Amino acid sequence: MGRSTCFQTSHIFGFFLLLVFMESKNKVESQVEPPPPPHDEIRALHEIAAELGKKDWNFSENPCNNKSSWYTPPLPPNVPQPTVVKNSSVTCNCSLNGGQCHIYTIRLSGLDLSGVLPRSLSKLPYLKEIVLFRNFLSGTIPREWATMKLEFVSLSSNRLSGPVPSYLGNITTLTFLSLDDNLFSGTIPPELGKLVNMETLILNANYLTGELPPALANLVRMKQLEMQASGFEGPFPSTLSALNSLVELRISDLHGEGSRFPNLQNMKNLSRLVLRSCNISGPIPPYIWEMPLGTLDLSFNKLEGNFSGNEKTLFTFLTSNLLTGPITEWINTRDSHYQIDLSYNNISASLEPTSCTEHLNLFKSFSGGNNLGQQSNCLKNFPCSKDEDLGGPAKYFPLRETWETSSSGYFWDTSVTSKDYIAQNVSILKMNNSELYTRARLSPLSLTYYIRCLANGSYTVKLHFAEIVIRDNSSFQSLGRRVFDVYIQEKLELKDFNIKNAAKAADKEVIRSFKTVVRDKTLSIRFHWAGKGTTATPKRGIYGPLISAISVESDSKPQFSKVWNTKMKMVVGAVVSAMCLIVLTLGILWRRGYFGGGKMSREQDGTIIAIKQLSTISRQGDREFLNELGMISGLQHPNLVRLYGCCVEGTNLLLVYEYMENNSLARALSGKPRTFSSFVALT
């Protein structure tokens, strides 16, 4: 028994020594620096740095050593990420050719490199990945790259221009290509259809034109396709229905010829679908409501039929279509994690929800003349709310007094909170009334300010803008292009408006003034992103309309201007009173026969007036008449009826007032339709 125990103990001790030896051996091996890449690849790095404008590479260090200055490790996911992420790294693959190291990836993002795309990249035969997004690079994609076996290319948010090269189709190893937020122009070359291994293609926010080429249907491995805000033309290509591997499809802003809803029935894995402003008409196919979509955006089309919806879809945007039919009952059970936008449709008003839900936007979504739809009920519960509106992807909000706001859309590719819909200035503002421009309201798609309870008539609307996000410096942070349209009473007043261009600089105010007419006691001011400009510069979620403040003033002025001071009002009132007293004294004397006069003649008038007759039993009535005339003629207030004049006829003492049908001072003060003067900073 004892011998057996000794034998087992010796084996355990030996095994322990073996583990210690192996661990020490691994530590020694891990401390051995990997060999540097071949000399020709080092020389290529020298040339690449010169072409990019990269001046801080330390060529005395081994670029394959991840502990050298060539490599900046990314921040852990649990660490708060900075607004601008700067990344500089070169990595090697040392598992090729018996342990020889070769340059495998180059990542240089957010560094404001001001050179050009390097032709010398082709001298790195083992390079698979090049990431140069958020820099200040110009020029176009070098032809030399077509000889490489690149797999991952990201060139987003630069100043690259010219046509998308057809020779990119020769890089058949590509699985990822992102060219968004640049200045590329022209049509998409059909040669891109040769990229049969492509899984992600992003061409957003350029100046591309023409129709989408049918050859894209050859990219059957495609999982993500994005072609938004670039100026493409319709119709929607039916050939894209062959891309059955798609998980995410985003196409928007197709101009020209329209089409029916594309056949997407075989895209079983589709989880995010955007077909916004694509001039698509007809009904929404029933299978769309059965797909496992987390996000669905079919806004600004001509879609008809009933809204069924999907209870599992978190974000549903169907703004500005021709939808009819009932509101499904399950909508009322959704919490704030869901966002549903059915604004600007033709749903039957008798079927609107009875409760107000912040996640559901039904602004102007009902037929039968009820423009507010659900909001008409909401206003009964909390009219003229003065709570702070932090914005949101799809919501209606009664802002303050007679103002309401409706927001549509969703900022993609970023972790969005309500604060992302409020822009905060990033520098010191030096313009007059700078407090108006320190914050501004943002919207990814459409933002409407709706003013109710106005008196009909003409108004002056002033819109206050300042670009407080996009910069002026020689940096990628200056490359953003904010372009949007402005409608007042649904009339297009500003098309392709760019705040920074209008002001000729960032952080400077632009005020635009417009005349408009109110005919139904309401005023609508709408800011709309029509798919132009950039979408991810200087960071994702920086696009669409931005507005700092709005002022609205009635053009119907009272008899004496409101800007006059009290002393001036009293002087003017006293002068008018004295003149009236003289005239009336003479009239009374004439009536009593001192001048032998008779009855005054009376001319017919087409204006409805109110007549007040005073007692004439005694001369006290005469004094009352003169006192009231003197007092009223010296007062000016929008809530008091106007005194048009007086009349002395025979024994009658008459005062002629403005006529207000079925009205009173109490009604005027209760906030019913009136002339309006308001100024509101929108945040």
Short mmCIF file of all heavy atoms in Angstrom, two decimals, residues 228-255:
data_model
loop_
_atom_site.label_atom_id
_atom_site.label_comp_id
_atom_site.label_asym_id
_atom_site.label_seq_id
_atom_site.Cartn_x
_atom_site.Cartn_y
_atom_site.Cartn_z
N GLN A 228 -27.29 54.45 -51.00
CA GLN A 228 -28.17 55.54 -50.58
C GLN A 228 -27.53 56.89 -50.85
O GLN A 228 -26.31 57.02 -50.86
CB GLN A 228 -28.47 55.43 -49.08
CG GLN A 228 -29.21 54.17 -48.67
CD GLN A 228 -29.68 54.26 -47.24
OE1 GLN A 228 -30.71 54.84 -46.94
NE2 GLN A 228 -28.92 53.68 -46.34
N ALA A 229 -28.38 57.88 -51.07
CA ALA A 229 -27.94 59.29 -51.13
C ALA A 229 -26.83 59.51 -52.13
O ALA A 229 -25.84 60.18 -51.85
CB ALA A 229 -27.48 59.76 -49.74
N SER A 230 -26.98 58.95 -53.32
CA SER A 230 -25.94 59.12 -54.33
C SER A 230 -26.46 59.64 -55.66
O SER A 230 -25.68 59.99 -56.52
CB SER A 230 -25.20 57.80 -54.57
OG SER A 230 -24.26 57.55 -53.54
N GLY A 231 -27.77 59.68 -55.86
CA GLY A 231 -28.30 60.25 -57.10
C GLY A 231 -28.62 59.24 -58.18
O GLY A 231 -28.72 59.61 -59.35
N PHE A 232 -28.79 57.97 -57.82
CA PHE A 232 -29.12 56.96 -58.83
C PHE A 232 -30.51 57.18 -59.40
O PHE A 232 -31.35 57.87 -58.83
CB PHE A 232 -29.03 55.56 -58.22
CG PHE A 232 -27.64 55.15 -57.84
CD1 PHE A 232 -27.31 54.90 -56.52
CD2 PHE A 232 -26.65 55.03 -58.80
CE1 PHE A 232 -26.03 54.53 -56.16
CE2 PHE A 232 -25.37 54.66 -58.45
CZ PHE A 232 -25.05 54.40 -57.13
N GLU A 233 -30.76 56.55 -60.54
CA GLU A 233 -32.05 56.66 -61.21
C GLU A 233 -32.79 55.34 -61.16
O GLU A 233 -32.19 54.27 -61.05
CB GLU A 233 -31.84 57.08 -62.67
CG GLU A 233 -31.18 58.44 -62.84
CD GLU A 233 -30.91 58.78 -64.29
OE1 GLU A 233 -31.34 57.99 -65.16
OE2 GLU A 233 -30.28 59.81 -64.55
N GLY A 234 -34.12 55.45 -61.22
CA GLY A 234 -34.95 54.26 -61.27
C GLY A 234 -35.09 53.75 -62.69
O GLY A 234 -34.50 54.30 -63.62
N PRO A 235 -35.81 52.67 -62.86
CA PRO A 235 -36.59 51.97 -61.84
C PRO A 235 -35.73 51.04 -60.99
O PRO A 235 -34.57 50.79 -61.32
CB PRO A 235 -37.59 51.17 -62.68
CG PRO A 235 -36.83 50.85 -63.93
CD PRO A 235 -36.00 52.07 -64.21
N PHE A 236 -36.33 50.54 -59.92
CA PHE A 236 -35.63 49.57 -59.08
C PHE A 236 -35.36 48.32 -59.92
O PHE A 236 -36.26 47.75 -60.52
CB PHE A 236 -36.49 49.21 -57.87
CG PHE A 236 -35.78 48.38 -56.84
CD1 PHE A 236 -35.16 48.99 -55.76
CD2 PHE A 236 -35.70 47.00 -56.96
CE1 PHE A 236 -34.49 48.23 -54.82
CE2 PHE A 236 -35.03 46.24 -56.03
CZ PHE A 236 -34.42 46.86 -54.94
N PRO A 237 -34.10 47.87 -59.99
CA PRO A 237 -33.76 46.74 -60.86
C PRO A 237 -34.33 45.42 -60.33
O PRO A 237 -34.03 45.01 -59.22
CB PRO A 237 -32.23 46.72 -60.85
CG PRO A 237 -31.85 47.40 -59.58
CD PRO A 237 -32.92 48.41 -59.29
N SER A 238 -35.16 44.79 -61.14
CA SER A 238 -35.77 43.52 -60.73
C SER A 238 -34.73 42.42 -60.59
O SER A 238 -34.96 41.43 -59.88
CB SER A 238 -36.83 43.11 -61.75
OG SER A 238 -36.25 42.98 -63.05
N THR A 239 -33.57 42.58 -61.24
CA THR A 239 -32.54 41.54 -61.18
C THR A 239 -31.96 41.35 -59.79
O THR A 239 -31.41 40.29 -59.48
CB THR A 239 -31.40 41.87 -62.16
OG1 THR A 239 -30.92 43.20 -61.88
CG2 THR A 239 -31.88 41.81 -63.60
N LEU A 240 -32.08 42.38 -58.94
CA LEU A 240 -31.54 42.26 -57.58
C LEU A 240 -32.28 41.22 -56.76
O LEU A 240 -31.84 40.86 -55.67
CB LEU A 240 -31.57 43.61 -56.87
CG LEU A 240 -30.64 44.70 -57.44
CD1 LEU A 240 -30.66 45.93 -56.54
CD2 LEU A 240 -29.21 44.19 -57.58
N SER A 241 -33.41 40.76 -57.25
CA SER A 241 -34.15 39.72 -56.54
C SER A 241 -33.36 38.42 -56.45
O SER A 241 -33.70 37.54 -55.64
CB SER A 241 -35.49 39.46 -57.25
OG SER A 241 -36.28 40.63 -57.27
N ALA A 242 -32.31 38.30 -57.25
CA ALA A 242 -31.49 37.08 -57.23
C ALA A 242 -30.53 37.03 -56.05
O ALA A 242 -29.93 35.98 -55.78
CB ALA A 242 -30.70 36.96 -58.54
N LEU A 243 -30.39 38.13 -55.32
CA LEU A 243 -29.43 38.19 -54.21
C LEU A 243 -30.07 37.61 -52.95
O LEU A 243 -30.37 38.31 -51.99
CB LEU A 243 -28.97 39.63 -53.98
CG LEU A 243 -28.35 40.33 -55.19
CD1 LEU A 243 -27.91 41.74 -54.83
CD2 LEU A 243 -27.18 39.53 -55.75
N ASN A 244 -30.23 36.31 -52.94
CA ASN A 244 -30.98 35.65 -51.86
C ASN A 244 -30.20 35.52 -50.56
O ASN A 244 -30.77 35.13 -49.54
CB ASN A 244 -31.44 34.26 -52.31
CG ASN A 244 -32.43 34.34 -53.46
OD1 ASN A 244 -33.15 35.33 -53.59
ND2 ASN A 244 -32.46 33.32 -54.30
N SER A 245 -28.90 35.84 -50.59
CA SER A 245 -28.09 35.75 -49.36
C SER A 245 -28.10 37.04 -48.56
O SER A 245 -27.49 37.11 -47.49
CB SER A 245 -26.64 35.38 -49.72
OG SER A 245 -26.57 34.12 -50.35
N LEU A 246 -28.79 38.07 -49.07
CA LEU A 246 -28.77 39.37 -48.41
C LEU A 246 -29.33 39.30 -46.99
O LEU A 246 -30.37 38.69 -46.74
CB LEU A 246 -29.58 40.38 -49.22
CG LEU A 246 -28.88 41.03 -50.41
CD1 LEU A 246 -29.85 41.91 -51.18
CD2 LEU A 246 -27.68 41.85 -49.96
N VAL A 247 -28.60 39.94 -46.08
CA VAL A 247 -29.05 40.15 -44.71
C VAL A 247 -29.50 41.60 -44.54
O VAL A 247 -30.41 41.89 -43.77
CB VAL A 247 -27.94 39.80 -43.71
CG1 VAL A 247 -28.37 40.12 -42.28
CG2 VAL A 247 -27.55 38.33 -43.84
N GLU A 248 -28.88 42.50 -45.30
CA GLU A 248 -29.19 43.93 -45.20
C GLU A 248 -29.19 44.54 -46.59
O GLU A 248 -28.21 44.42 -47.33
CB GLU A 248 -28.17 44.63 -44.30
CG GLU A 248 -28.48 46.08 -44.04
CD GLU A 248 -27.68 46.64 -42.88
OE1 GLU A 248 -27.24 45.84 -42.02
OE2 GLU A 248 -27.51 47.86 -42.81
N LEU A 249 -30.30 45.21 -46.93
CA LEU A 249 -30.44 45.87 -48.23
C LEU A 249 -30.90 47.30 -47.99
O LEU A 249 -31.96 47.54 -47.41
CB LEU A 249 -31.45 45.13 -49.10
CG LEU A 249 -31.80 45.80 -50.45
CD1 LEU A 249 -30.56 45.92 -51.33
CD2 LEU A 249 -32.90 45.02 -51.17
N ARG A 250 -30.09 48.26 -48.46
CA ARG A 250 -30.42 49.67 -48.30
C ARG A 250 -30.25 50.38 -49.63
O ARG A 250 -29.13 50.58 -50.10
CB ARG A 250 -29.53 50.34 -47.27
CG ARG A 250 -29.62 49.80 -45.87
CD ARG A 250 -28.92 50.77 -44.93
NE ARG A 250 -28.17 50.12 -43.92
CZ ARG A 250 -27.31 50.72 -43.11
NH1 ARG A 250 -27.08 52.01 -43.25
NH2 ARG A 250 -26.64 50.05 -42.19
N ILE A 251 -31.36 50.75 -50.24
CA ILE A 251 -31.35 51.53 -51.47
C ILE A 251 -32.35 52.66 -51.30
O ILE A 251 -33.48 52.44 -50.86
CB ILE A 251 -31.70 50.67 -52.70
CG1 ILE A 251 -30.63 49.59 -52.91
CG2 ILE A 251 -31.82 51.53 -53.95
CD1 ILE A 251 -30.91 48.66 -54.07
N SER A 252 -31.94 53.88 -51.63
CA SER A 252 -32.84 55.02 -51.46
C SER A 252 -32.60 56.06 -52.53
O SER A 252 -31.56 56.06 -53.21
CB SER A 252 -32.66 55.64 -50.07
OG SER A 252 -31.42 56.31 -49.98
N ASP A 253 -33.59 56.92 -52.68
CA ASP A 253 -33.46 58.13 -53.50
C ASP A 253 -33.19 57.81 -54.97
O ASP A 253 -32.25 58.31 -55.57
CB ASP A 253 -32.35 59.03 -52.93
CG ASP A 253 -32.51 59.26 -51.45
OD1 ASP A 253 -33.47 59.93 -51.08
OD2 ASP A 253 -31.70 58.73 -50.68
N LEU A 254 -34.04 56.95 -55.52
CA LEU A 254 -34.00 56.65 -56.95
C LEU A 254 -34.91 57.64 -57.67
O LEU A 254 -36.11 57.68 -57.43
CB LEU A 254 -34.47 55.22 -57.22
CG LEU A 254 -33.60 54.09 -56.65
CD1 LEU A 254 -34.17 52.74 -57.04
CD2 LEU A 254 -32.15 54.21 -57.09
N HIS A 255 -34.33 58.43 -58.55
CA HIS A 255 -35.09 59.44 -59.26
C HIS A 255 -35.57 58.89 -60.60
O HIS A 255 -35.04 57.91 -61.13
CB HIS A 255 -34.23 60.69 -59.47
CG HIS A 255 -33.62 61.21 -58.21
ND1 HIS A 255 -34.36 61.86 -57.24
CD2 HIS A 255 -32.34 61.16 -57.74
CE1 HIS A 255 -33.57 62.21 -56.24
NE2 HIS A 255 -32.34 61.79 -56.51
#
